[in-house]
Amino acid sequence: MPAAACRADLEEIAAFMPVNDAGAQDHLASHGDRIERALRKAREDAARAGDDAACDAVLDAYLAAWRPGHLSVSHLAATGSAAAQFKPGGAGDPRLPSFKVLGKDTVLLVIPSFKDSYAAAVRALVKDNRAQLASHRNWIVDLRDNGGGADPTYAPLLPWLLDGDYPTHRAEFLVTPANIKAQEEICQRSAEQQACSEMIAPIVNKMRAAPNGSMVLGGEARITFDDIGKPEPKAPAKVAVLVDRDCGSTCEQFLLTVRTGYRVKLVGRPSAGVIDVANMRPHPLPSGRVLKYGTSRSTRASDMRIDTIGIPPDILLPRPLDEAGKAQEVARVARWLETGSWK
């Protein structure tokens, strides 16, 4: 029965979150009463859930009491979305990155996703358009509606956008048996298994050696200065990164990285604000649903919180009302890069 399955999933989430989610203890300390009230209401609503959709709403509302964003419940066999009709990164996928020359000085790179299934497409975009990228002094990098993915996907862009090394606040990973298992298994589902393993294996080794319930750094220090490799000799002079509230997670990490560059401005709206607690991993629920929860916490968060706030743009623009407005926004940014005028 839907109600019984819903109650079972809810109780599993309520027991799992405080132990395994890297942000849970902070959330309980700051708004534990709200979470407890939400659990009581969710129990009442779950008992009346007549179908999967009603249960999904109950579980979503309970997770929102923990934190908005970067917590979700999905169905393993979910189909019917437009994206499900396409193989990620394959022909016909509407989220493939694209390149367009806008004028003699300006090019547009549209990158709708940083998921690792698009890593090869991003590499190909840069390689196939190298001559055009090098010959245009103004870039617009459109990240509107980019929900994140994996950091290595955007790595080919960094030698073009930055001039040297850049500061990175590392993540701390919460050590629990479930989290160790989740880290061990994540690369099996990755489209970039080697890159994933090289990044995750040292973290897993640290977690295995640490006490249960402790936090281990994902790097050697709380903040590191990472190398971009060899800078591109004909990098753009001016870069506008176009962002909105749908830019979240890894998309936000990209913003934090590239805004350290002298030539880069963030333009648009604040980002989603879902990056302080990250490295999302799946946990199966009794009904077959899957909980996505956070296994890490940024060392930056104690001094500069982004969750629920977002990363502010350097230049704030009004939200476009429709697709025509989104296209006009690109044209306006291009005009600003070329002439210095927004009019």
Side-chain angles (χ1 to χ4, degrees), residues 57-78:
V58 171
L59 300 179
D60 288 343
Y62 174 58
L63 289 174
W66 284 92
R67 63 176 178 271
H70 254 194
L71 281 173
S72 65
V73 170
S74 61
H75 296 259
L76 276 176

Side-chain angles (χ1 to χ4, degrees), residues 2-3 7-8 17 58 65 82 119 151 210 213 218 254 257 317:
R7 288 196 300 270
M17 280 288 298
V58 171
D151 294 1
F254 178 79
T257 298
L317 296 180

Side-chain angles (χ1 to χ4, degrees), residues 315-326:
I315 300 170
L316 180 66
L317 296 180
R319 181 174 63 86
L321 299 179
D322 51 28
E323 290 301 313
K326 292 180 70 173

Side-chain angles (χ1 to χ4, degrees), residues 67-71 146-149 244-253 256 270-280 294 296 298 300 305-311:
R67 63 176 178 271
H70 254 194
L71 281 173
N146 184 318
D244 62 9
R245 278 291 186 185
D246 293 319
C247 171
S249 189
T250 294
C251 184
E252 292 178 295
Q253 185 57 54
L256 290 172
S271 63
V274 290
I275 191 177
D276 294 345
V277 181
N279 283 286
M280 310 307 291
S296 72
S298 174
R300 167 194 37 75
R305 183 166 68 89
I306 291 174
D307 279 7
T308 74
I309 299 171
I311 300 168

